[in-house]
Amino acid sequence: MQPKNKLNNLGYVLPALIFIISIFLIPIVYTVVISFFNWNLLRPDLGVRFVGLQNYIRAFRDSFTWETMGRTFYFVIVSVLLELIFGFIIALSLNTEFKGWKVVQSIILIPFMIAPVVVGFAWKFVLNNDYGPLPQLLMNIGFSSIAENPLLANPNSAMFMVILADVWEYTPFVTLVLLAGLKALPQEPYEAAYVDGASAIQRFFYITLPLLRPSIMVAIVIRTLTSLRVFDTIFIMTGGGPGSATETLSFYGYRTAFQSYQMGYSSAINLISFFLAIVFTLIYMKILGWDNNE
């Protein structure tokens, strides 16, 4: 390739490179660097001091970090599992074309197109004990205890209410990914299995699931990565409460930075969340048998 062509090609990709570096790479590098410093905005007299791995050691020694990590695991596992189950059911239902199926598909995708902040406000309204339709319905059918223990103010139910909002919002995304995978599946294995007398259940477990594994992998990994950094919905619906019942690791990082003003420690917490995302991804790849040969 001639130097002039190389220069032209570089000009084509340069805007994208600048965008990626400025939006993604620089903030990540900055966060990594800050995590090795003690930087408290409430104590400017101390300045910014290099402390090495002390922020990470402090985080792992702090019992509250482990509590938030446990809540994060619970949120991720339950929400992603429910989204995968409901997404699979809806995708299988929409895989057969019927009259008006495009309209139904468009309606199902509406929650995914709503901003998480709006979703938080919507579900906070739905779950409000004074005028929310869900608490009123539950109280009318006999769950009178909700009047004294509101769903969002009860430590035993607050986290599941947040998960419910998350599942409502992101199940359409999982449905879309799985439906695209179902539409792309070859028909020859199904025809051969039908001729051999395989039942619908056998065709599902021995043909559909194995062939759909790449789509399942994509849906699980993307949803895990986004669930690990959930913030907007929790901030609007519960603010991390009641107490700390819905405070996840990413929310803890926010509170440490913008309420306690410990920027170095907050950066370390956020990077721990980032490494957890990598660990989850590797575990999924191992469980689903994902390798470069597939």
Side-chain angles (χ1 to χ4, degrees), residues 39 41-42 231 235 250-267 270:
W39 182 12
L41 296 181
L42 296 178
F231 173 79
F235 181 80
S250 59
F251 195 92
Y252 181 38
Y254 153 79
R255 189 169 60 81
T256 304
F258 297 101
Q259 294 182 8
S260 301
Y261 300 103
Q262 302 178 49
M263 308 307 292
Y265 187 46
S266 173
S267 298
N270 288 323

Side-chain angles (χ1 to χ4, degrees), residues 33-284:
V33 173
I34 291 300
S35 69
F36 295 111
F37 288 82
N38 183 8
W39 182 12
N40 192 332
L41 296 181
L42 296 178
R43 295 295 304 275
D45 55 303
L46 297 178
V48 181
R49 296 181 293 108
F50 179 79
V51 293
L53 297 175
Q54 288 303 312
N55 286 324
Y56 294 94
I57 296 174
R58 175 188 171 188
F60 284 111
R61 286 180 176 176
D62 187 359
S63 60
F64 190 74
T65 303
W66 291 101
E67 292 177 13
T68 58
M69 199 177 299
R71 283 190 288 270
T72 303
F73 288 161
Y74 175 76
F75 178 87
V76 171
I77 293 172
V78 175
S79 61
V80 173
L81 181 60
L82 290 177
E83 289 161 13
L84 188 63
I85 293 173
F86 292 133
F88 227 126
I89 294 173
I90 298 173
L92 289 173
S93 302
L94 293 177
N95 192 36
T96 302
E97 296 184 7
F98 52 89
K99 186 177 181 180
W101 72 275
K102 291 186 178 180
V103 176
V104 175
Q105 182 176 334
S106 301
I107 294 174
I108 290 176
L109 292 176
I110 289 177
F112 180 59
M113 295 184 287
I114 301 176
V117 173
V118 179
V119 172
F121 278 115
W123 276 92
K124 190 174 183 180
F125 169 82
V126 170
L127 298 171
N128 188 283
N129 238 44
D130 296 326
Y131 47 78
L134 184 58
Q136 297 300 321
L137 175 63
L138 292 175
M139 284 187 283
N140 289 334
I141 62 176
F143 293 91
S144 57
S145 60
I146 294 178
E148 300 177 358
N149 298 293
L151 294 173
L152 289 178
N154 187 344
N156 296 322
S157 61
M159 177 58 85
F160 190 76
M161 293 301 104
V162 175
I163 292 175
L164 182 63
D166 188 80
V167 170
W168 179 82
E169 180 181 10
Y170 288 105
T171 294
F173 167 77
V174 178
T175 300
L176 188 63
V177 173
L178 296 181
L179 183 59
L182 287 171
K183 294 290 186 182
L185 294 182
Q187 295 303 312
E188 290 80 5
Y190 292 96
E191 295 172 358
Y194 184 79
V195 171
D196 291 339
S199 64
I201 296 178
Q202 289 175 325
R203 292 197 299 269
F204 176 76
F205 281 103
Y206 291 102
I207 298 177
T208 303
L209 277 182
L211 292 178
L212 202 61
R213 189 168 57 181
S215 298
I216 296 174
M217 180 69 182
V218 170
I220 290 178
V221 169
I222 293 178
R223 279 303 300 131
T224 297
L225 297 180
T226 53
S227 296
L228 281 170
R229 58 180 181 83
V230 61
F231 173 79
D232 315 62
T233 307
I234 292 177
F235 181 80
I236 298 299
M237 291 182 64
T238 64
S244 59
T246 58
E247 187 165 339
T248 59
L249 198 59
S250 59
F251 195 92
Y252 181 38
Y254 153 79
R255 189 169 60 81
T256 304
F258 297 101
Q259 294 182 8
S260 301
Y261 300 103
Q262 302 178 49
M263 308 307 292
Y265 187 46
S266 173
S267 298
I269 294 173
N270 288 323
L271 284 174
I272 291 174
S273 179
F274 174 75
F275 288 120
L276 284 178
I278 297 177
V279 171
F280 264 96
T281 303
L282 293 176
I283 291 174
Y284 287 144

